[in-house]
Amino acid sequence: MIKIKKIDHVGIAVKDLARAIEFYEGLLGLKVTGTEVVEEQKVKVAFLPTGDSEVELLESTTPDGPIARFIEKNGEGIQHIAFRVDNLEQVLEELKAKGVRLIDEKPRRGAGGARIAFLHPKSTFGTLVELCERED
Ligand SMILES: C[C@@H](C(=O)O)C(=O)SCCNC(=O)CCNC(=O)[C@H](O)C(C)(C)COP(=O)(O)OP(=O)(O)OC[C@H]1O[C@@H](n2cnc3c(N)ncnc32)[C@H](O)[C@@H]1OP(=O)(O)O
Ligand SMILES: [Co+2]
């Protein structure tokens, strides 16, 4: 039985990370707790906690990465929602067995040492879903 623990983060695609941070920190009063480049995903990210969940701002590091492609098609905005789970491998196996289209069959390395995997929006009623497992 799959158990979603909480919304881990909401991923927001932006063109200019520094300028987006000026808004989220300067005007909304959130605080960046870490920035990091995740090469495999071709992104530079910043995390800003909001209560029990976080905002993840994502800027593309290349013109052909998933964030660049998303912005090209849709403009800036919410690109994915990430749910926290305990046993990612098992969750992926279970969803696959039930016919859900997985983008990642095996966990990949995400920001902050998390293990992550994406579900295809065609299988999730239009939202790109990230599953992630990490220490609290
Ligand atoms: C660092 C890490 C972390 O948190 O630790 C992250 O978050 S990394 C976050 C960035 N990394 C990722 O997003 C990796 C997973 N994403 C991907 O593999 C890709 O972006 C896909 C989701 C498969 C989309 O690929 P691609 O852009 O090549 O395909 P496409 O444009 O032909 O899109 C196929 C269909 O999916 C839809 N589609 C594409 N991206 C979407 C999105 N973000 N949300 C909802 N729907 C989306 C398109 O509109 C299209 O529908 P129609 O056919 O109806 O037009
Ligand atoms: Co994410």
Side-chain angles (χ1 to χ4, degrees):
M1 182 65 182
I2 291 169
K3 185 167 186 303
I4 301 293
K5 298 178 84 181
K6 63 174 185 175
I7 292 176
D8 185 90
H9 64 268
V10 174
I12 301 177
V14 301
K15 290 182 188 163
D16 185 330
L17 189 61
R19 288 195 56 208
I21 288 172
E22 278 173 26
F23 168 76
Y24 281 94
E25 283 198 328
L27 298 181
L28 293 192
L30 298 178
K31 290 280 167 275
V32 173
T33 53
T35 58
E36 185 180 336
V37 171
V38 180
E39 290 291 351
E40 190 178 27
Q41 298 290 342
K42 301 180 176 169
V43 291
K44 186 161 100 186
V45 305
F47 277 96
L48 304 94
T50 59
D52 212 25
S53 301
E54 305 193 30
V55 168
E56 177 185 45
L57 300 175
L58 305 118
E59 179 189 291
S60 189
T61 56
T62 64
D64 65 332
I67 295 303
R69 282 182 57 96
F70 177 86
I71 291 175
E72 218 171 87
K73 268 187 119 171
N74 310 285
E76 295 173 295
I78 295 179
Q79 192 252 355
H80 67 270
I81 185 165
F83 295 118
R84 178 88 66 92
V85 297
D86 262 339
N87 190 339
L88 182 54
E89 256 125 355
Q90 206 175 304
V91 169
L92 291 175
E93 232 172 77
E94 196 167 329
L95 290 175
K96 190 182 177 187
K98 289 181 173 156
V100 174
R101 184 165 159 198
L102 309 180
I103 293 172
D104 304 299
E105 301 251 336
K106 295 275 170 243
R108 295 175 178 277
R109 209 194 69 79
R115 288 144 48 77
I116 65 170
F118 287 90
L119 309 181
H120 200 282
K122 290 290 168 204
S123 266
T124 63
F125 300 84
T127 297
L128 177 60
V129 171
E130 175 186 334
L131 299 170
C132 80
E133 182 181 352
R134 67 169 99 237
E135 306 304 320
D136 266 313

